[in-house]
Amino acid sequence: MLQTWRKYEHNATTWLLLLPAFASFFGLFAYPILVTLIQSFRPEGQADGFTFENYINFLSDPRGRDVIVLTFVLAIGTTFFSLLFSIPLALILRDKVRGHRFFRLLALIPLMVPGLIGALGLLLFFGSRGWFNLAAQALPFVTEPLTINYTLQGLMLFYVWLYFPYTALTTLSALEGLDRAVEEAGAVAGANPRQVLRYLIIPQIIPGVLAGSVLTFMTAFGAFSIPLITGGDYRPLSVQIYKEISSFIPAHWSAASAMAIVMGILQVAALTLYMRLLRQRQVR
Amino acid sequence: MSDIMIEFRNLTKRYGALLANDHVNLQVKRGELMTLLGPSGCGKTTALRGLTGYVKPDEGQILIDDKDVTNLPTHQRQLGMVFQNFALFPHMTVWDNVRFPLMIRGVSKQDSEPKVREALQLIRLEGLSDRYPRQLSGGQQQRVGLARALVYRPNVLLLDEPLSNLDAKLREEMRFEIRDLQRRLGITAIYVTHDQQEALALSDRVAIMNSGHIEQVGTPEEIYEHPRSKFVADFIGLSDFIPATVESYDAQTARIVVAGVALTAPAVEGLAREQKILLFIRPNDVELALEAAGENVLPGTIRQATYLGDRIDYRVQIHDGIEVRVQTAGTQRLAEGARVFAHLPVARCRLIREE
Amino acid sequence: MRILKLYLHPLWNARLLLIYSFLSGFAILILAPFLMISLRSVGKGWFGKLWFPPEFTLQWFQTAIDIGNIPQVLGNTALIAAIAVAISTTIGILSGWAFGRRRLPGKEVLMAIILLPRMIPPITYALGVAKIFYGLDLVNTYLGVGLAHVSLCAPYAILVLSSTFEGLDERVLEASAVCGANTLKSFFYVILPMVLPGILASMIFTFTTSYNEFTLTLMTYGPDTVTMAVRTYLAIGEGYVEITSAMSVILVVPSLVILAMIQSGIQPEKLVGGFKGV
């Protein structure tokens, strides 16, 4: 009897410790989403009522679909180019080349510095009077300043700038987790450096790298400050949602809510799919 | 075709101020198993890495089969190697691990199959070819490592402390297995270890290394019976070093004095009168008696007796600061504090210069 | 042999050259934007095809501080961050202890649920937060903006602290008990010194998150609770590049200080490490 009580008491304490965490989870996350969900079924500007109009309007509008496509293009493209850039970077940095600590620190900067400032700096750097164009125009075949700001390619570049560190750091830590003796064993067995990379290093780190690139995908999908400032006419979902509220008086709360719900569902669906693919790879 | 398979010529490697290899010279004969033995940090691993090409020597040359390979990249040296922590490819099955050297050499799937099968038979792991390394025990993993090293019949087999991650019983088993395989295939092998037991049991010849250079090369018997330096004597087996002074000597024998007692020992080269020298003897060669009899006897007191099962370990105090360790068969038991006479058979005594 | 060496050597150098041009390109890409901002903030008359400003001035900083009301904005930012850090560290310590040191059925699932806010774009629930806070009159209050930040900061704190507590060596606790320490003494003399680095790390990460947080702030701020991030955003909209640059320089300094702190003590991998299991 006493023992049962003790056990009960023990469990009760555990749940009591978790209470604040769940309070914040429900109060600041779950409940707001519920409110958004309810709002998304309200006719615009009314306090009650039920309608699917907000979803239908958004999803049937070709511009609405373009926004979704753009969001995916940016997220997937960013993930791809981050991988393309991070793997060589991590391979170089793991060899502890001279100054590798400095370059490691550099890879952290986009994570630590407010995204807004990164965006502003990139706009200045790639602008028509920025250093990039000054350098480019020193080349013989470049006569006009290259337009990078407010183009899709430019936006993608800025995204990669801001979000590659997730991929780079996980790639680096995956590489550093490898047993170097395995590569030595490969070399002794007759594999040249390219074969060691292809048959031994890449297959070993790929699960970790892909898991890390999920973070890049996730944050790129939800990116807000960068496209808000540097996107120009390219507005992914997050910016479009904000515009529904900020550019109209009264604000389009219902339309924005419907978009937010769509965005949340797409994000969760994409993540689940990605994770499932990853698991399958690992099981195999 | 000379009978020297591997040769180190003046191999030297520095890491900053540390001299990891100091003009190492060593020749390994065809079909021989040579052990590099020494404490950690003695440079044995650096020498081995020089042979694989993972460490670029600062000076000197390395020859394999009369060919200078000093500047040849690792993957072109045609070696087989077994690693301390196995270093199996974790993302490949046992079969693919063993096939790897063949795959890299462009051997087709069909052609490599009998070879892989044979290698797996050699190490008796045919049934486990679909497993991944993490699903195997340590001993099995090391066998796979051995098969991978041998599958394409390299000229040279390198073993870098292959047994140090295994438990004691398995270690002994694998020792014989490695020795047996090496003999059967007639392959030249270099075995790196810090375990003297392993070195004595396995090797055709042993090279003892100390702080970057080779102290002595010889068969296990030579090394154990006739150590050329205090380091070698101390590193292999138990030793007594008794400080002595040379009184007189001729071509065969030397008279020395230990704590006022005159003793005889076989002479060595380069003796001088009044020279300080060490008298070296193995503790199990010393005989203890309660009465003085014959020559070469040191009187003393038993300070400590430790029962070790098959033998008893005594610490016998001869003089202030001079203590002799003696191990006798478990049948003879002497009490602590007893006055005893330690008999040092002349043939078992050796004189070693102090370093 | 010698000829081979001669040919190999330049090849080796070419490899190094390639590596270092890659790395310098990387360094330029990361650093040049900040350099340009800094130069803009102190440059005068920098027009046309000029690599560097012809004159230097501090007037943009003066203007930013006077018109942008920077001292008050910095105060707001610090206060809001302090609220967010205090609340989320408290949450983190309590539930971190439950996750790290107590038997908990379905621990993994619970953890995944608690980390969910970090997987969903903030804008999706920021709308709801804003709506709720309007109803509670929390918009444009320090507590309101700080609380909004907690939704993002708390999962971080929980993650870092549960692994800190989990890493506590049971044997050390046992040893302190054997040595005669009661629960209270054990806590102050043994547990606290051991977990302090973890708590500090959690505070630094939550502070950075709150300091940089833009989306949730934008949805809950008001005239009295403008933070540095929002102020800079507004300045970008106003279009004075020099003044905006000056503000950005002020905004970026704390981030760099934290970066230096991280570099000297805390492993940067922790920043991303926690997501692996999700």
Side-chain angles (χ1 to χ4, degrees), chain C residues 77-100:
Chain C
T77 314
L79 198 58
I80 288 166
I83 292 171
V85 169
I87 297 176
S88 36
T89 307
T90 311
I91 292 175
I93 290 176
L94 294 176
S95 41
W97 191 265
F99 276 118

mmCIF file of all heavy atoms in Angstrom, chain C residues 77-100:
data_model
loop_
_atom_site.group_PDB
_atom_site.id
_atom_site.type_symbol
_atom_site.label_atom_id
_atom_site.label_comp_id
_atom_site.label_asym_id
_atom_site.label_seq_id
_atom_site.Cartn_x
_atom_site.Cartn_y
_atom_site.Cartn_z
ATOM 1 N N THR C 77 15.108 45.510 -25.770
ATOM 2 C CA THR C 77 15.601 44.224 -26.244
ATOM 3 C C THR C 77 16.159 43.403 -25.087
ATOM 4 O O THR C 77 15.853 42.218 -24.934
ATOM 5 C CB THR C 77 16.703 44.435 -27.298
ATOM 6 O OG1 THR C 77 16.250 45.425 -28.210
ATOM 7 C CG2 THR C 77 17.015 43.153 -28.028
ATOM 8 N N ALA C 78 16.971 44.069 -24.242
ATOM 9 C CA ALA C 78 17.597 43.364 -23.127
ATOM 10 C C ALA C 78 16.546 42.861 -22.145
ATOM 11 O O ALA C 78 16.597 41.715 -21.689
ATOM 12 C CB ALA C 78 18.593 44.275 -22.420
ATOM 13 N N LEU C 79 15.579 43.716 -21.855
ATOM 14 C CA LEU C 79 14.550 43.350 -20.881
ATOM 15 C C LEU C 79 13.731 42.165 -21.385
ATOM 16 O O LEU C 79 13.476 41.200 -20.647
ATOM 17 C CB LEU C 79 13.646 44.558 -20.641
ATOM 18 C CG LEU C 79 12.804 44.501 -19.371
ATOM 19 C CD1 LEU C 79 13.700 44.354 -18.159
ATOM 20 C CD2 LEU C 79 11.960 45.769 -19.240
ATOM 21 N N ILE C 80 13.336 42.244 -22.669
ATOM 22 C CA ILE C 80 12.533 41.161 -23.247
ATOM 23 C C ILE C 80 13.341 39.861 -23.258
ATOM 24 O O ILE C 80 12.837 38.793 -22.880
ATOM 25 C CB ILE C 80 12.070 41.547 -24.665
ATOM 26 C CG1 ILE C 80 10.985 42.617 -24.556
ATOM 27 C CG2 ILE C 80 11.558 40.332 -25.425
ATOM 28 C CD1 ILE C 80 10.689 43.324 -25.840
ATOM 29 N N ALA C 81 14.628 39.974 -23.637
ATOM 30 C CA ALA C 81 15.472 38.778 -23.662
ATOM 31 C C ALA C 81 15.607 38.215 -22.249
ATOM 32 O O ALA C 81 15.558 36.995 -22.052
ATOM 33 C CB ALA C 81 16.838 39.101 -24.243
ATOM 34 N N ALA C 82 15.764 39.118 -21.260
ATOM 35 C CA ALA C 82 15.920 38.645 -19.884
ATOM 36 C C ALA C 82 14.677 37.871 -19.443
ATOM 37 O O ALA C 82 14.778 36.802 -18.823
ATOM 38 C CB ALA C 82 16.167 39.825 -18.948
ATOM 39 N N ILE C 83 13.499 38.411 -19.791
ATOM 40 C CA ILE C 83 12.258 37.707 -19.427
ATOM 41 C C ILE C 83 12.215 36.335 -20.092
ATOM 42 O O ILE C 83 11.951 35.312 -19.445
ATOM 43 C CB ILE C 83 11.031 38.560 -19.844
ATOM 44 C CG1 ILE C 83 10.968 39.820 -18.989
ATOM 45 C CG2 ILE C 83 9.754 37.748 -19.713
ATOM 46 C CD1 ILE C 83 9.929 40.815 -19.453
ATOM 47 N N ALA C 84 12.514 36.316 -21.393
ATOM 48 C CA ALA C 84 12.462 35.045 -22.131
ATOM 49 C C ALA C 84 13.460 34.048 -21.549
ATOM 50 O O ALA C 84 13.139 32.866 -21.359
ATOM 51 C CB ALA C 84 12.744 35.288 -23.607
ATOM 52 N N VAL C 85 14.686 34.521 -21.247
ATOM 53 C CA VAL C 85 15.716 33.613 -20.715
ATOM 54 C C VAL C 85 15.301 33.092 -19.354
ATOM 55 O O VAL C 85 15.392 31.890 -19.078
ATOM 56 C CB VAL C 85 17.086 34.335 -20.638
ATOM 57 C CG1 VAL C 85 18.074 33.502 -19.850
ATOM 58 C CG2 VAL C 85 17.616 34.619 -22.024
ATOM 59 N N ALA C 86 14.797 34.000 -18.489
ATOM 60 C CA ALA C 86 14.433 33.575 -17.131
ATOM 61 C C ALA C 86 13.343 32.514 -17.182
ATOM 62 O O ALA C 86 13.465 31.445 -16.560
ATOM 63 C CB ALA C 86 13.970 34.779 -16.321
ATOM 64 N N ILE C 87 12.280 32.797 -17.943
ATOM 65 C CA ILE C 87 11.173 31.839 -17.980
ATOM 66 C C ILE C 87 11.625 30.520 -18.607
ATOM 67 O O ILE C 87 11.379 29.438 -18.061
ATOM 68 C CB ILE C 87 9.971 32.419 -18.757
ATOM 69 C CG1 ILE C 87 9.443 33.653 -18.029
ATOM 70 C CG2 ILE C 87 8.874 31.373 -18.905
ATOM 71 C CD1 ILE C 87 8.324 34.354 -18.756
ATOM 72 N N SER C 88 12.339 30.597 -19.751
ATOM 73 C CA SER C 88 12.644 29.324 -20.424
ATOM 74 C C SER C 88 13.713 28.538 -19.676
ATOM 75 O O SER C 88 13.694 27.312 -19.699
ATOM 76 C CB SER C 88 13.026 29.535 -21.890
ATOM 77 O OG SER C 88 13.750 30.692 -22.068
ATOM 78 N N THR C 89 14.637 29.223 -18.962
ATOM 79 C CA THR C 89 15.613 28.459 -18.184
ATOM 80 C C THR C 89 14.924 27.746 -17.021
ATOM 81 O O THR C 89 15.222 26.588 -16.717
ATOM 82 C CB THR C 89 16.728 29.380 -17.651
ATOM 83 O OG1 THR C 89 17.269 30.105 -18.746
ATOM 84 C CG2 THR C 89 17.827 28.590 -17.008
ATOM 85 N N THR C 90 13.971 28.430 -16.375
ATOM 86 C CA THR C 90 13.222 27.774 -15.299
ATOM 87 C C THR C 90 12.504 26.531 -15.833
ATOM 88 O O THR C 90 12.606 25.443 -15.262
ATOM 89 C CB THR C 90 12.195 28.749 -14.702
ATOM 90 O OG1 THR C 90 12.856 29.976 -14.428
ATOM 91 C CG2 THR C 90 11.601 28.189 -13.444
ATOM 92 N N ILE C 91 11.804 26.727 -16.953
ATOM 93 C CA ILE C 91 11.120 25.585 -17.564
ATOM 94 C C ILE C 91 12.128 24.492 -17.886
ATOM 95 O O ILE C 91 11.908 23.313 -17.605
ATOM 96 C CB ILE C 91 10.378 26.029 -18.845
ATOM 97 C CG1 ILE C 91 9.223 26.956 -18.488
ATOM 98 C CG2 ILE C 91 9.878 24.817 -19.626
ATOM 99 C CD1 ILE C 91 8.526 27.535 -19.697
ATOM 100 N N GLY C 92 13.258 24.917 -18.451
ATOM 101 C CA GLY C 92 14.279 23.961 -18.882
ATOM 102 C C GLY C 92 14.841 23.171 -17.716
ATOM 103 O O GLY C 92 15.034 21.960 -17.810
ATOM 104 N N ILE C 93 15.112 23.835 -16.602
ATOM 105 C CA ILE C 93 15.689 23.126 -15.449
ATOM 106 C C ILE C 93 14.699 22.098 -14.923
ATOM 107 O O ILE C 93 15.039 20.937 -14.697
ATOM 108 C CB ILE C 93 16.086 24.122 -14.339
ATOM 109 C CG1 ILE C 93 17.290 24.944 -14.793
ATOM 110 C CG2 ILE C 93 16.403 23.399 -13.036
ATOM 111 C CD1 ILE C 93 17.724 26.023 -13.842
ATOM 112 N N LEU C 94 13.422 22.525 -14.759
ATOM 113 C CA LEU C 94 12.428 21.606 -14.187
ATOM 114 C C LEU C 94 12.216 20.404 -15.097
ATOM 115 O O LEU C 94 12.349 19.251 -14.676
ATOM 116 C CB LEU C 94 11.113 22.356 -13.959
ATOM 117 C CG LEU C 94 11.173 23.459 -12.902
ATOM 118 C CD1 LEU C 94 9.855 24.199 -12.830
ATOM 119 C CD2 LEU C 94 11.531 22.869 -11.549
ATOM 120 N N SER C 95 11.911 20.663 -16.366
ATOM 121 C CA SER C 95 11.587 19.497 -17.203
ATOM 122 C C SER C 95 12.856 18.794 -17.670
ATOM 123 O O SER C 95 12.831 17.590 -17.940
ATOM 124 C CB SER C 95 10.717 19.900 -18.389
ATOM 125 O OG SER C 95 11.166 21.096 -18.928
ATOM 126 N N GLY C 96 13.967 19.525 -17.719
ATOM 127 C CA GLY C 96 15.234 18.870 -18.039
ATOM 128 C C GLY C 96 15.554 17.814 -16.990
ATOM 129 O O GLY C 96 16.035 16.726 -17.299
ATOM 130 N N TRP C 97 15.274 18.145 -15.725
ATOM 131 C CA TRP C 97 15.508 17.175 -14.652
ATOM 132 C C TRP C 97 14.588 15.965 -14.833
ATOM 133 O O TRP C 97 15.011 14.816 -14.699
ATOM 134 C CB TRP C 97 15.275 17.831 -13.286
ATOM 135 C CG TRP C 97 15.744 16.975 -12.164
ATOM 136 C CD1 TRP C 97 14.999 16.104 -11.434
ATOM 137 C CD2 TRP C 97 17.080 16.864 -11.676
ATOM 138 N NE1 TRP C 97 15.783 15.464 -10.505
ATOM 139 C CE2 TRP C 97 17.074 15.909 -10.631
ATOM 140 C CE3 TRP C 97 18.294 17.480 -11.998
ATOM 141 C CZ2 TRP C 97 18.213 15.554 -9.933
ATOM 142 C CZ3 TRP C 97 19.425 17.130 -11.293
ATOM 143 C CH2 TRP C 97 19.380 16.181 -10.273
ATOM 144 N N ALA C 98 13.323 16.236 -15.180
ATOM 145 C CA ALA C 98 12.385 15.130 -15.377
ATOM 146 C C ALA C 98 12.831 14.251 -16.553
ATOM 147 O O ALA C 98 12.831 13.027 -16.470
ATOM 148 C CB ALA C 98 10.981 15.676 -15.628
ATOM 149 N N PHE C 99 13.261 14.881 -17.631
ATOM 150 C CA PHE C 99 13.675 14.114 -18.817
ATOM 151 C C PHE C 99 15.001 13.397 -18.578
ATOM 152 O O PHE C 99 15.204 12.265 -19.000
ATOM 153 C CB PHE C 99 13.830 15.031 -20.029
ATOM 154 C CG PHE C 99 12.547 15.298 -20.746
ATOM 155 C CD1 PHE C 99 12.044 16.578 -20.850
ATOM 156 C CD2 PHE C 99 11.846 14.254 -21.331
ATOM 157 C CE1 PHE C 99 10.850 16.820 -21.507
ATOM 158 C CE2 PHE C 99 10.662 14.497 -21.998
ATOM 159 C CZ PHE C 99 10.156 15.777 -22.081
ATOM 160 N N GLY C 100 15.906 14.095 -17.905
ATOM 161 C CA GLY C 100 17.263 13.574 -17.808
ATOM 162 C C GLY C 100 17.464 12.570 -16.677
ATOM 163 O O GLY C 100 18.284 11.671 -16.788
#
